[in-house]
């Protein structure tokens, strides 16, 4: 799982300040719950693999993940 976070961190570092072009669709309650569980390290491998592309392609999901990670630390 640490590898997933390092991949995500590398992506975010390369993202730079401009994130336009990424979707900013609102998240469903289920998506927010998955992101919360991801931040807590409670997702299965399959759940993480399914969620990562969604997070990386949605600005709202990225912001949600960051806030959940901050809440966990």
């Amino acid at each position: 799982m640490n590898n997933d976070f390092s991949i995500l961190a590398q992506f975010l570092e390369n993202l730079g300040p401009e994130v336009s072009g990424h979707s900013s669709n609102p998240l469903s309650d289920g998506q927010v719950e998955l992101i919360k569980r991801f931040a807590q390290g409670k997702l299965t491998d399959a759940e993480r693999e399914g969620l990562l592309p969604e997070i990386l392609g949605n600005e709202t999901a990225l912001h949600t993940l960051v806030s959940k990670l901050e809440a966990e630390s």
Side-chain angles (χ1 to χ4, degrees):
M1 175 140 146
N2 286 338
N3 190 38
D4 290 336
F5 283 118
S6 72
I7 292 169
L8 182 58
Q10 286 175 336
F11 172 81
L12 293 174
E13 286 174 13
N14 293 330
L15 193 60
E18 181 60 46
V19 291
S20 64
H22 288 273
S23 170
S24 59
N25 295 330
L27 302 174
S28 69
D29 291 341
Q31 290 169 313
V32 171
E33 181 61 27
L34 280 174
I35 291 171
K36 178 181 174 183
R37 289 180 47 221
F38 177 74
Q40 295 171 335
K42 295 182 178 178
L43 290 184
T44 66
D45 290 343
E47 288 172 321
R48 278 195 314 273
E49 288 177 23
L51 183 62
L52 282 175
E54 185 175 328
I55 290 173
L56 297 176
N58 185 329
E59 184 178 356
T60 303
L62 285 171
H63 288 288
T64 302
L65 176 61
V66 169
S67 68
K68 299 296 182 191
L69 288 170
E70 289 174 341
E72 290 298 316
S73 43

